[in-house]
């Protein structure tokens, strides 16, 4: 069964790549043996740099299941997740992730995420894109209100 879910992700990657939707990446979200979300790379077709296969599959599954947590789901993706998708996977709280191609395979066709992996590990002051903190006291007031908000939904 697991192979069939991975094949579904791979088929999506091929079909949507051939349809010029974006890069050669596909993903499916599975819950209790059923596909509940499908995604493919839509970066170039939607002009959205965050529209990776895993992210679009997560969005689709969450919309269909009417939840923001997928802790009873598994993700099947045609390639090892990039740093952004990996973070989204953790936020969604998947039980398990299966992948086909590796990040080295992706780098070999010019999808190299190594720079991002290295940048995330660096102290803020040493990153390539300059980052400067502004108005922390004003922003902390909002955090203070969140902390005491009685009707907040935790995630």
């Amino acid at each position: 069964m697991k192979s069939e879910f991975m094949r579904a992700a791979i088929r999506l990657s091929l079909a949507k790549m051939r349809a010029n939707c974006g890069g050669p990446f596909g993903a499916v979200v599975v819950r209790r043996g059923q596909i509940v979300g499908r995604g493919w790379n839509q970066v170039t077709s939607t002009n959205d740099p965050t529209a990776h296969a895993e992210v679009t599959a997560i969005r689709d599954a969450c919309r269909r299941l009417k939840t923001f947590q997928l802790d009873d789901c598994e993700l099947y993706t045609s390639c090892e997740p990039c740093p952004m998708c990996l973070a989204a996977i953790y936020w969604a709280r998947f039980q398990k992730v299966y992948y086909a191609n590796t990040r080295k395979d992706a780098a070999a066709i010019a999808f190299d995420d190594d720079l991002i992996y290295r940048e995330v590990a660096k102290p803020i002051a040493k990153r390539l894109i300059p980052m400067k903190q502004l108005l922390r006291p004003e922003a902390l007031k909002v955090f203070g209100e969140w902390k005491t908000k009685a009707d907040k939904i935790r995630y």
Side-chain angles (χ1 to χ4, degrees):
M1 196 69 157
K2 294 181 187 329
S3 295
E4 285 309 307
F5 294 135
M6 184 58 75
R7 284 188 184 101
I10 294 168
R11 279 193 305 271
L12 263 175
S13 72
L14 180 62
K16 298 303 183 175
M17 175 199 67
R18 287 178 174 171
N20 293 321
C21 292
F25 306 98
V28 296
V29 176
V30 175
R31 181 182 190 213
R32 298 182 195 131
Q34 298 291 319
I35 294 176
V36 295
R38 289 175 174 77
W40 54 90
N41 184 286
Q42 299 173 41
V43 171
T44 57
S45 59
T46 63
N47 294 316
D48 179 353
T50 69
H52 289 199
E54 297 89 341
V55 171
T56 60
I58 289 168
R59 290 172 182 165
D60 186 45
C62 288
R63 185 174 46 256
R64 289 172 188 260
L65 298 174
K66 296 180 177 28
T67 184
F68 55 84
Q69 290 189 349
L70 301 172
D71 53 354
D72 59 348
C73 297
E74 296 176 335
L75 179 71
Y76 292 77
T77 179
S78 66
C79 189
E80 181 180 353
C82 76
M84 176 187 68
C85 293
L86 184 60
I89 287 163
Y90 275 93
W91 278 113
R93 294 172 172 75
F94 280 97
Q95 285 182 347
K96 195 165 194 173
V97 175
Y98 297 92
Y99 65 93
N101 292 318
T102 69
R103 62 196 253 200
K104 288 184 181 181
D105 297 330
I109 61 165
F111 288 95
D112 193 352
D113 301 323
D114 195 52
L115 170 71
I116 301 169
Y117 280 105
R118 289 193 320 266
E119 284 292 299
V120 167
K122 289 181 184 178
I124 291 173
K126 300 211 181 232
R127 292 182 182 157
L128 289 176
I129 297 175
M131 297 186 181
K132 175 105 172 100
Q133 189 174 31
L134 290 174
L135 303 176
R136 181 173 180 244
E138 289 181 35
L140 276 174
K141 289 177 186 175
V142 178
F143 276 15
E145 188 171 323
W146 170 260
K147 187 175 180 180
T148 61
K149 186 172 172 32
D151 61 345
K152 66 185 164 205
I153 298 172
R154 295 185 180 274
Y155 60 95

